[in-house]
Amino acid sequence: MLIDFFLHLRRHKLPCSLRELLDLHGALAARIVSLDMDAFYLLARCLLVKDEAHLDRFDRAFAEYYDGLQASPLLPETLPDDWLRRELERLLSLEERDLLRSLGGLDKLLETLNQRLAEQKERHAGGNKWVGTGGSSPFGHGGFHPEGVRMGGEGEHGRAAKVWEARHYRNFSDDDSPLGQRAIQLALRKLRRWVRKGSLDELDLDDTIQSTARQGWLDVKLRPERHNGVKLLVFFDVGGSMDSHVAEVQRLFSALRHEFKHLEFFYFHNCLYDFVWRDNARRFEEKFDTWRLLRTYGHDYRVILVGDAKMGPYEITWPGGAVEYWNEEPGQLWLARLQQQYPKLVWINPLPRREWLWHPSIKLINELIGGRMHPLTLAGLAQAIDQL
């Protein structure tokens, strides 16, 4: 049962395991869902897909396996004769069936639709004949015909006798989509290195059993709690053009705080100079000297700089280039010192990669950090984590 479906998902490169297939069998045996394709779709997606990045791939594989749909065309070439018939008794009332006969009955409706699909060669809006949008034809979407077939889009008036969609499930995410906090947390989990340090406050069950068996009496063994031992130092660009990326960066910051116990963060503006700060409201009163920062945090820290890198190139290459004060040394020198202290360093840019070529400063920053700039997308974050 479901072996062919499971193998079909694997052929679509979905990393589902036999354990997850057995869980799906168990859920069906327990009758969590029964005789409802939409409920089965949701159950299968919940149990077989463990990464949001694979949801769209699952949707396509599911639709292809159960519906025979391909690559989401806008309209089908022909309509199967039994499609409108199989649930007619359940979906239409007596009055609606009488209304349907006004076009000559279901056979006539299907015959007319398939004929027009074969004749129509272009998109049509309005009107009363072709398959289109916003008209009074019985075929299309957004129109007013009382016994029509909605197809190729969303309905507006709720008057269709039946709905034909070329694809039932929308895209959820892909490698170049903007990230939500949940997706960021899942990506950051790859940057884990589990260690056990600190006080002995967790029961070590295996060691307790073995020691009790050796001693002949209860010998409770404790161990330190396991936690992520990776140390992370993050610098956030604030102000100016970064104001339009506040929501994205807040999601990233929240995910970082959730995933890393050893997290230190500071703010800067445009480029790194001789000081950073922790509180934006008091950035000039409570400066944190960058030399002090380099001496305080050891080489074992990994570094992430977050910013759009949009600035005048002189802000990077010249003394006095900073827009808010006179910097004695250029920003590129401080970036070099940061890389020397922390070899594992990346830059996360909330701007889409396609816009990087429009700003010379982005190219310059990327060159200065050895091409380790990545966009704030699923693929970009995964590449950054690999480098860290």
Side-chain angles (χ1 to χ4, degrees):
M1 180 181 179
L2 298 179
I3 292 296
D4 288 341
F5 174 56
F6 176 76
L7 294 177
H8 180 77
L9 296 180
R10 298 282 294 186
R11 284 194 293 271
H12 280 72
K13 298 182 180 180
L14 278 156
C16 44
S17 67
L18 287 174
R19 175 68 265 172
E20 291 156 355
L21 176 62
L22 291 174
D23 290 340
L24 181 57
H25 271 277
L28 293 175
R31 294 188 176 275
I32 293 178
V33 301
S34 179
L35 303 179
D36 187 328
M37 182 58 75
D38 286 339
F40 172 71
Y41 157 76
L42 293 173
L43 177 66
R45 190 180 74 170
C46 177
L47 294 176
L48 299 177
V49 182
K50 301 302 183 184
D51 189 334
E52 280 92 339
H54 300 144
L55 285 175
D56 185 58
R57 193 178 304 171
F58 174 83
D59 285 353
R60 292 178 180 273
F62 186 95
E64 181 179 319
Y65 185 83
Y66 283 103
D67 296 326
L69 300 178
Q70 304 290 333
S72 306
L74 179 61
L75 294 174
E77 295 181 359
T78 60
L79 198 62
D81 290 342
D82 64 342
W83 183 76
L84 285 177
R85 304 176 190 277
R86 58 190 178 188
E87 293 185 351
L88 189 61
E89 293 296 329
R90 182 173 67 87
L91 293 177
L92 299 182
S93 66
L94 291 175
E95 293 79 6
E96 289 171 329
R97 276 178 250 173
D98 292 337
L99 189 61
L100 182 61
R101 294 191 185 99
S102 66
L103 193 63
L106 184 58
D107 290 335
K108 184 63 176 178
L109 182 68
L110 286 171
E111 179 185 345
T112 304
L113 172 57
N114 284 322
Q115 180 182 353
R116 292 185 189 176
L117 282 172
E119 295 175 358
Q120 184 169 339
K121 303 301 181 183
E122 60 185 3
R123 183 185 182 279
H124 185 73
N128 59 9
K129 177 181 179 181
W130 297 116
V131 179
T133 61
S136 57
S137 164
F139 314 114
H141 66 92
F144 296 91
H145 202 286
E147 65 272 5
V149 177
R150 176 162 68 83
M151 55 194 305
E154 297 293 330
E156 293 183 10
H157 307 288
R159 305 178 69 173
K162 193 62 170 147
V163 177
W164 172 269
E165 294 287 358
R167 184 177 177 204
H168 298 293
Y169 309 106
R170 66 177 179 84
N171 291 348
F172 184 85
S173 65
D174 55 50
D175 284 352
D176 294 317
S177 297
L179 289 174
Q181 183 175 333
R182 170 70 174 166
I184 294 174
Q185 288 182 212
L186 290 174
L188 291 175
R189 287 177 184 176
K190 298 178 182 178
L191 191 60
R192 281 178 170 178
R193 188 182 64 201
W194 295 111
V195 297
R196 294 188 181 276
K197 294 182 180 179
S199 59
L200 304 176
D201 53 9
E202 180 180 280
L203 175 65
D204 188 338
L205 184 59
D206 292 339
D207 196 12
T208 297
I209 293 173
Q210 294 176 7
S211 180
T212 298
R214 287 195 304 267
Q215 300 293 342
W217 61 81
L218 180 61
D219 187 12
V220 177
K221 297 293 184 180
L222 300 176
R223 62 186 178 183
E225 183 180 0
R226 189 180 74 157
H227 63 271
N228 187 1
V230 171
K231 298 179 180 179
L232 200 58
L233 187 59
V234 187
F235 298 88
F236 294 99
D237 182 9
V238 292
S241 58
M242 281 298 294
D243 287 345
S244 59
H245 305 293
V246 168
E248 302 163 72
V249 176
Q250 281 180 334
R251 287 194 293 268
L252 175 61
F253 180 54
S254 180
L256 288 168
R257 293 189 68 175
H258 183 271
E259 291 296 327
F260 295 95
K261 180 178 181 180
H262 302 290
L263 173 66
E264 301 290 341
F265 65 93
F266 297 91
Y267 298 105
F268 68 99
H269 181 58
N270 284 356
C271 190
L272 193 69
Y273 298 115
D274 53 305
F275 72 92
V276 291
W277 58 92
R278 290 186 182 273
D279 185 352
N280 284 306
R282 301 181 59 82
R283 64 184 185 276
F284 290 113
E285 292 81 7
E286 298 179 359
K287 300 177 182 179
F288 198 99
D289 186 78
T290 308
W291 275 121
R292 176 189 167 195
L293 182 147
L294 297 175
R295 292 191 298 267
T296 302
Y297 302 102
H299 295 278
D300 56 339
Y301 274 84
R302 291 163 170 80
V303 171
I304 299 176
L305 295 104
V306 182
D308 60 10
K310 287 171 57 177
M311 66 194 89
Y314 58 86
E315 296 182 57
I316 305 169
T317 58
W318 287 88
V323 297
E324 292 187 321
Y325 76 108
W326 180 271
N327 55 300
E328 297 292 339
E329 296 177 307
Q332 64 180 8
L333 180 57
W334 286 107
L335 287 174
R337 289 166 178 164
L338 192 69
Q339 292 179 83
Q340 184 177 5
Q341 173 72 358
Y342 308 109
K344 295 183 178 180
L345 175 148
V346 296
W347 187 297
I348 302 296
N349 195 325
L351 278 179
R353 190 186 292 273
R354 63 180 178 273
E355 297 184 19
W356 292 4
L357 295 177
W358 304 349
H359 307 282
S361 60
I362 297 180
K363 180 180 178 182
L364 179 56
I365 288 286
N366 198 18
E367 290 175 351
L368 290 173
I369 63 172
R372 288 175 288 176
M373 181 179 290
H374 305 278
L376 186 53
T377 62
L378 187 62
L381 197 54
Q383 293 168 3
I385 290 171
D386 287 342
Q387 290 188 334
L388 289 177

